[in-house]
Amino acid sequence: MEIKEAQELLSALPAREQLEALIDYGKQLKEFSETEKKEENKVPGCVSTAYLTVEVKENKVYFSGYSDALTIKGYLAILINGFNGMNVKEFLSTAESIVKEFITKTKLQASLTPSRANTLGNIIAIMIKKVRQQV
Amino acid sequence: MNNFPILKRQVYGNKLIYLDNAATTQKPEIVLQAMDNYYRDYNANVHRGIHLLAEEATVAYEKVREQVAKFINAESEEIIFTKSTTESLNLLAYSLTQNLKKNDEIILTVMEHHSNLVPWQQLAKQRGLVIKYVPIKTNGELKLDTFNKLLTKKTKIVSLTHLSNVLGTINPIKEIAKKVHSFGATLVVDAAQSVPFMQIDVKELNCDYLAFSGHKMYGPTGVGVLYGKKTLLEKLPPFLYGGDMIEKVTLKETTFNTVPYKFEAGTPNIAEVIGLGAAIKFLQEENINTIKSHEEELTKYALKELNKINSLTVYGPQKRGPLISFTIKNVHPHDITALLDKDGIASRAGHLCAMPLLQELNVDGVIRVSFGVYNTKEEIDFFIKSLNKAIKVCNGN
């Protein structure tokens, strides 16, 4: 599913339903390898424990992620589903603005605590950093 | 309760149910008005100006010192205004450890808020002091038998919370004071959570120092109190230097003002101190013993209702202050608090500034609800309903 699709769906919902939908996304996040739950894969600055890995194959990005909080899992699911399979160049040039628009349109920042408001920003920053390290 | 304007607001279309009182309390009209009046009618610096406004501001500021003193049964020279409990405790950690020798010992407990742990830990590192920690029993009470063993001639300072911000445990300060003093050590009490909940009498507790914050007792943020026995404060070196805390300054040296002024460098938070005075008036009018009974009843009721939820674990003893921390099996605390928020319920989740205690409890985070003078049983019923709904959302497929 594209990020735009999730953005439209979430933007149309009132705060409570929006949060529940985010949790539902979280429940759909694919399993994450236990062996990858290590310090180097941790997402720093996140209030819950979250991990993120990236693989670049045939010039395309493939992410995996995990969090012990469903809301963070929800963010991860949206970003991972949205970006997986994207061309590296396209990812590096558009990812940040896509996420920025997602935050503005869904107003998810307003419905989460300040410490969490940065989470999405943290996750995408880590995603970009990890991809840059591999190319 | 009608005298708290903020409680009239709606949160996501719901009535606000504020259950985060251990973090900060809401402010009654009387506090808001007192601060507003100061800025509108007699805003001036204290202890300095020879004009009517400065005199009025000084009188109002000093009147609060007397109010605080009476409120905790101290003398007004024994009351120092700081910006928070944290600043009060930093002041003590800095000043009390100045004359200690290498390997002198400080006793803390594992249930301390970071504000009563990190300052001592840092100063101990700088000055080669040893910190020992009193552990807790499985019910969240202190292991006093271990404390008795830790207390030796090497112990110079014992600093602990009166009421744990995570467990709700109320520590037996009076009993601890006797033991601490029998070894000639100094007793510091973090009373941030207990002052808005129960009658504090520093003479009866016989603690040497006691710290608390205005914002947790229906007063404004930015004002804290440090009580110290006068004879001890006179010997204690100052923490901050600057205006108002001096007696005489030359280019070569400075002599310091008398207590409590030698600990109040610079222009203080005047409006906040005046707001604190109004908060004390509010607490006295409501009667602290009535507040205690009300909050105890709410806590007992909430405990009973929470214990009906199978997947839920409550931390801390049965007899406790007005707060309850808990976890829910396989559910992250932040998911629950985010869902409660959407029903208008303000609660708290995380490590509650007590990471070592949570490590001891073997959890990464907890959910905490804490009660204040304005909370009701109906609000607890709504909270329990919302909590059950949130658990279902998190556990459902």
Side-chain angles (χ1 to χ4, degrees):
Chain A
M1 185 183 55
E2 286 206 8
I3 291 182
K4 266 244 157 61
E5 211 179 304
Q7 181 180 303
E8 275 164 26
L9 195 143
L10 291 169
S11 313
L13 296 172
R16 168 88 197 191
E17 282 75 8
Q18 194 186 49
L19 183 62
E20 289 191 17
L22 186 68
I23 286 173
D24 280 340
Y25 280 121
K27 288 176 185 170
Q28 289 159 29
L29 183 67
K30 281 186 188 158
E31 289 231 346
F32 188 77
S33 158
E34 283 297 316
T35 52
E36 294 297 337
K37 286 181 184 173
K38 48 190 177 189
E39 203 56 39
E40 63 197 81
N41 292 331
K42 264 194 175 174
V43 179
C46 194
V47 285
S48 67
T49 309
Y51 298 96
L52 188 77
T53 59
V54 64
E55 199 182 346
V56 176
K57 265 193 304 191
E58 294 166 0
N59 213 29
K60 285 177 179 169
V61 295
Y62 295 93
F63 297 99
S64 295
Y66 170 83
S67 171
D68 52 359
L70 283 167
T71 38
I72 304 300
K73 265 188 167 176
Y75 285 137
L76 286 167
I78 291 167
L79 298 183
I80 290 170
N81 291 340
F83 290 128
N84 270 10
M86 191 182 258
N87 173 281
V88 170
K89 202 174 163 191
E90 189 190 351
F91 173 78
L92 289 175
S93 60
T94 62
E96 212 173 340
S97 60
I98 289 173
V99 171
K100 214 170 170 184
E101 190 191 312
F102 177 85
I103 292 170
T104 316
K105 289 274 164 67
T106 59
K107 296 192 179 71
L108 260 170
Q109 276 193 314
S111 70
L112 294 172
T113 60
S115 53
R116 278 201 165 189
N118 300 321
T119 304
L120 210 48
N122 272 346
I123 296 171
I124 194 62
I126 298 289
M127 280 178 152
I128 293 169
K129 192 176 159 194
K130 281 180 181 279
V131 170
R132 284 210 172 110
Q133 281 167 351
Q134 291 208 20
V135 292
Chain B
M1 199 168 251
N2 294 325
N3 40 8
F4 287 80
I6 204 168
L7 297 179
K8 291 188 186 102
R9 75 161 286 182
Q10 300 262 304
V11 173
Y12 302 113
N14 299 289
K15 176 188 171 283
L16 167 65
I17 296 178
Y18 189 78
L19 302 181
D20 197 15
N21 294 285
T24 196
T25 51
Q26 298 303 341
K27 320 306 171 200
E29 190 67 52
I30 183 179
V31 169
L32 305 176
Q33 268 175 21
M35 294 174 75
D36 190 60
N37 286 348
Y38 162 71
Y39 280 125
R40 286 181 192 281
D41 297 336
Y42 58 101
N43 173 47
N45 212 331
V46 292
H47 306 144
R48 290 161 172 85
I50 313 291
H51 55 79
L52 183 65
L53 266 59
E55 197 183 311
E56 286 177 2
T58 303
V59 168
Y61 181 86
E62 288 304 326
K63 194 181 145 213
V64 179
R65 201 186 303 278
E66 284 168 27
Q67 266 181 286
V68 174
K70 268 190 195 152
F71 189 61
I72 61 168
N73 194 24
E75 309 306 319
S76 50
E77 308 98 289
E78 296 176 320
I79 304 300
I80 297 157
F81 291 122
T82 62
K83 78 174 165 69
S84 57
T85 304
T86 301
E87 188 181 281
S88 300
L89 293 167
N90 270 274
L91 185 161
L92 290 175
Y94 177 83
S95 298
L96 280 175
T97 56
Q98 274 196 36
N99 297 320
L100 296 190
K101 291 192 291 287
K102 202 176 171 202
N103 293 326
D104 277 347
E105 293 180 1
I106 297 169
I107 296 179
L108 307 175
T109 82
V110 295
M111 66 167 78
E112 297 314 310
H113 186 284
H114 295 161
S115 62
N116 194 31
L117 195 152
V118 183
W120 301 107
Q121 193 185 57
Q122 295 308 305
L123 267 299
K125 269 186 191 169
Q126 283 175 31
R127 292 172 185 171
L129 310 171
V130 176
I131 297 188
K132 293 192 166 168
Y133 294 96
V134 185
I136 51 166
K137 297 191 269 194
T138 46
N139 72 353
E141 287 173 358
L142 284 180
K143 280 189 177 170
L144 290 175
D145 49 345
T146 312
F147 171 65
N148 293 339
K149 285 176 198 154
L150 292 177
L151 201 57
T152 66
K153 279 181 185 168
K154 280 185 163 184
T155 310
K156 301 299 168 205
I157 299 162
V158 175
S159 186
L160 82 162
T161 182
H162 192 186
L163 198 166
S164 161
N165 71 313
V166 177
L167 302 164
T169 313
I170 301 167
N171 289 319
I173 299 299
K174 206 173 150 183
E175 186 187 332
I176 288 170
K178 267 187 206 157
K179 297 202 170 115
V180 172
H181 292 145
S182 71
F183 281 88
T186 300
L187 177 64
V188 176
V189 176
D190 168 2
Q193 298 294 342
S194 59
V195 167
F197 171 67
M198 59 206 279
Q199 186 72 59
I200 299 293
D201 181 331
V202 288
K203 289 196 173 74
E204 199 197 331
L205 291 176
N206 198 17
C207 54
D208 298 305
Y209 297 96
L210 182 123
F212 56 98
S213 290
H215 74 100
K216 291 193 200 287
M217 51 189 287
Y218 310 100
T221 52
V223 59
V225 172
L226 172 61
Y227 154 81
K229 283 179 180 165
K230 195 183 169 197
T231 47
L232 299 176
L233 285 177
E234 278 167 348
K235 286 182 230 154
L236 195 69
F239 172 53
L240 295 171
Y241 303 101
D244 217 23
M245 56 81 66
I246 53 90
E247 180 193 52
K248 194 180 173 193
V249 182
T250 67
L251 291 177
K252 279 192 177 159
E253 62 178 350
T254 298
T255 54
F256 303 125
N257 207 335
T258 51
V259 292
Y261 308 108
K262 78 168 173 178
F263 295 103
E264 292 179 11
T267 297
N269 292 343
I270 305 164
E272 286 71 18
V273 168
I274 288 165
L276 174 64
I280 289 175
K281 194 169 173 229
F282 168 78
L283 286 167
Q284 284 167 331
E285 279 170 5
E286 291 291 323
N287 189 322
I288 193 82
N289 293 324
T290 312
I291 293 172
K292 185 171 181 267
S293 304
H294 172 69
E295 292 177 4
E296 274 173 345
E297 204 182 317
L298 291 179
T299 309
K300 205 171 148 192
Y301 181 65
L303 271 174
K304 191 184 93 190
E305 294 302 310
L306 283 168
N307 280 324
K308 288 179 187 168
I309 301 172
N310 282 334
S311 53
L312 192 144
T313 305
V314 168
Y315 300 93
Q318 195 63 26
K319 194 177 176 323
R320 58 167 70 209
L323 59 95
I324 305 168
S325 296
F326 59 94
T327 51
I328 295 151
K329 202 177 171 190
N330 299 328
V331 179
H332 196 279
H334 284 95
D335 291 332
I336 294 290
T337 46
L339 284 160
L340 290 174
D341 174 50
K342 299 300 173 289
D343 282 342
I345 300 164
S347 62
R348 175 85 188 265
H351 52 64
L352 310 186
C353 297
M355 282 182 178
L357 174 58
L358 265 67
Q359 285 153 17
E360 201 76 12
L361 298 172
N362 205 19
V363 288
D364 293 329
V366 294
I367 304 155
R368 181 184 69 193
V369 285
S370 47
F371 310 111
V373 63
Y374 31 67
N375 293 125
T376 63
K377 271 191 177 175
E378 290 71 30
E379 289 182 335
I380 290 171
D381 287 336
F382 187 81
F383 153 66
I384 296 289
K385 214 184 272 180
S386 174
L387 177 63
N388 277 309
K389 206 165 75 179
I391 295 170
K392 220 170 164 185
V393 168
C394 293
N395 283 335
N397 296 312

